[in-house]
Amino acid sequence: MWFRREQKNRRLHRFHVLDVKLRSDQVRATRTRLAALTAGILFGTVFGLYLFWRTGEWALDKFVYENSEFAIQHVEVKTDGMIAPDQLLRWSKVKLGDNLIALDLTAVKRNLELVSTIGSVSIERILPRTLKISVTERDPVAQVDIRAPTRPAALPWRCSNSMPMAMSCNRWIRGCA
C-alpha cells in the first residue's frame, strides 16, 4: 500500500467512456415501445374504470332498485282538510309495489303541489316498505262558478246579451261581430 507502484496502463483508470449514438432504428423502436406501453396503460385504466362503473350500476339495480324488500306496501296519507286520502294517492301517482328507493320524491311532491287546493306537501321514506305523505290544504278565499254560455233558441247565430262579461261572443258563436 505504501510502496505500491502505480499502474502504467491508463486504460484501467478511465472513469468516463465516450457516449456512442444509437442508430435511428433503435431510437424509433424504443419510442414505439414507450408509446405502446403508455397507450396500453391509458386504455387499461379507462377500461377498468368503465368496468367498475358498469359493475356498480348493475349491483345497484340488482340489490337496491329492483329489490322486492323495498317495495311499497304501506302509504300513510295525512291531510288537514277535506281531500280524501284515496284522491291524494291517485294525484301522487304512487302505486303499491313500486320500489321505495327508486321513487322520485320530487316528482311526487310536484304532482301533488300542482293541484290548486293543496298548499304544501311533505313526503318521507320510512324504510323498508312505508311512504308517508303529509298534505296541508289551502284555505279557500272565494268560489267562482263558471258555466258555459247557452245560445238562445230564437237567435241561434246571433250574440246574446245574457253572456258573462268575461266571455267573448266571438269565442262561442261564429259570425258575431
Side-chain angles (χ1 to χ4, degrees):
M1 176 163 143
W2 293 9
F3 295 108
R4 196 171 186 185
R5 282 178 63 189
E6 200 172 309
Q7 293 180 353
K8 299 276 182 187
N9 193 349
R10 292 184 184 175
R11 183 170 55 111
L12 299 175
H13 293 290
R14 289 186 194 167
F15 296 107
H16 182 65
V17 180
L18 290 175
D19 291 333
V20 179
K21 291 185 179 182
L22 296 175
R23 292 185 176 166
S24 62
D25 58 341
Q26 291 175 337
V27 172
R28 190 176 308 117
T30 304
R31 286 182 186 162
T32 304
R33 209 175 304 122
L34 183 63
L37 183 64
T38 304
I41 290 173
L42 183 65
F43 176 75
T45 303
V46 169
F47 183 72
L49 288 174
Y50 176 74
L51 193 62
F52 180 72
W53 172 59
R54 293 297 290 183
T55 304
E57 192 176 66
W58 173 81
L60 276 175
D61 284 343
K62 180 82 172 157
F63 299 118
V64 177
Y65 297 130
E66 296 173 2
N67 192 347
S68 62
E69 291 296 317
F70 295 117
I72 297 174
Q73 291 182 355
H74 306 288
V75 179
E76 296 177 13
V77 180
K78 189 169 79 172
T79 181
D80 66 346
M82 302 292 291
I83 301 175
D86 293 337
Q87 181 64 35
L88 289 171
L89 191 60
R90 275 181 282 177
W91 285 338
S92 69
K93 299 179 183 172
V94 173
K95 297 177 201 117
L96 293 177
D98 287 348
N99 192 301
L100 187 62
I101 304 294
L103 185 67
D104 186 9
L105 296 182
T106 56
V108 173
K109 184 175 180 177
R110 185 190 67 234
N111 288 341
L112 288 172
E113 287 179 343
L114 285 175
V115 177
S116 61
T117 58
I118 295 177
S120 65
V121 178
S122 172
I123 300 175
E124 182 180 358
R125 287 183 183 116
I126 301 173
L127 293 177
R129 296 181 180 103
T130 305
L131 180 69
K132 184 177 180 181
I133 301 174
S134 300
V135 175
T136 305
E137 295 183 25
R138 292 184 185 177
D139 294 327
V141 177
Q143 182 176 357
V144 177
D145 187 19
I146 299 176
R147 294 187 181 149
T150 58
R151 287 189 253 172
L155 304 170
W157 296 105
R158 300 183 90 191
C159 293
S160 164
N161 290 339
S162 65
M163 292 182 73
M165 296 282 284
M167 294 186 186
S168 170
C169 187
N170 291 331
R171 186 172 166 192
W172 297 101
I173 302 172
R174 292 185 186 161
C176 292

